[in-house]
Amino acid sequence: MAAPFIEHVNITVRDPDASAALVASLFDWHERWRGPSLLGGHTIHVGDDRFYLALYTPAGTATPASTFAKGNPLNHIGIVVDDLDAIERRVVAAGLVPFNHADYAPGRRFYFLDPDGTEFEIVSYA
């Protein structure tokens, strides 16, 4: 039996198109699917051939701010990359602010918040 892995993470965003464009440009991912959500609203799946982020909005810009409170319940999404410095340059070029840089076993890392306040941890074990 193959080892289990996380296939997707579904997060709420205000603007799935903007969020999809952001993560696609940061991580060289592609759009896998888009359409109406079974629960109402709209979803876009962006990732690679094994994993994706499901970027869901129930109400677009009318989505309540309380939806995006830190740790409600998600603390952050960790993304492993080969070239941490290259991704940080992309994050900065996208107008986002990297923070909490750290270098401890087993890897180097930094964090950033997307426009909705979702925290991403970018880590490299290279």
Side-chain angles (χ1 to χ4, degrees):
M1 179 169 142
F5 65 94
I6 295 172
E7 183 221 18
H8 74 274
V9 174
N10 186 322
I11 61 172
T12 299
V13 299
R14 286 186 181 94
D15 183 345
D17 288 304
S19 294
L22 175 66
V23 296
S25 69
L26 293 178
F27 306 119
D28 293 327
W29 290 346
H30 62 274
E31 184 176 310
R32 295 173 39 143
W33 179 86
R34 70 169 49 224
S37 169
L38 294 175
L39 304 174
H42 185 76
T43 303
I44 300 175
H45 296 176
V46 179
D48 63 18
D49 294 334
R50 284 186 14 137
F51 166 85
Y52 63 93
L53 289 179
L55 305 167
Y56 165 73
T57 188
T61 58
T63 303
S66 61
T67 302
F68 304 101
K70 173 75 171 103
N72 187 23
L74 181 71
N75 289 311
H76 63 258
I77 298 170
I79 310 282
V80 176
V81 300
D82 288 331
D83 189 338
L84 192 71
D85 298 327
I87 299 300
E88 184 169 7
R89 285 190 295 274
R90 291 179 183 185
V91 166
V92 170
L96 304 171
V97 180
F99 62 92
N100 282 357
H101 293 77
D103 187 356
Y104 55 85
R108 292 176 47 227
R109 66 202 71 236
F110 71 89
Y111 297 77
F112 72 89
L113 300 175
D114 78 359
D116 290 312
T118 300
E119 184 174 284
F120 286 79
E121 176 184 359
I122 310 305
V123 63
S124 176
Y125 300 118

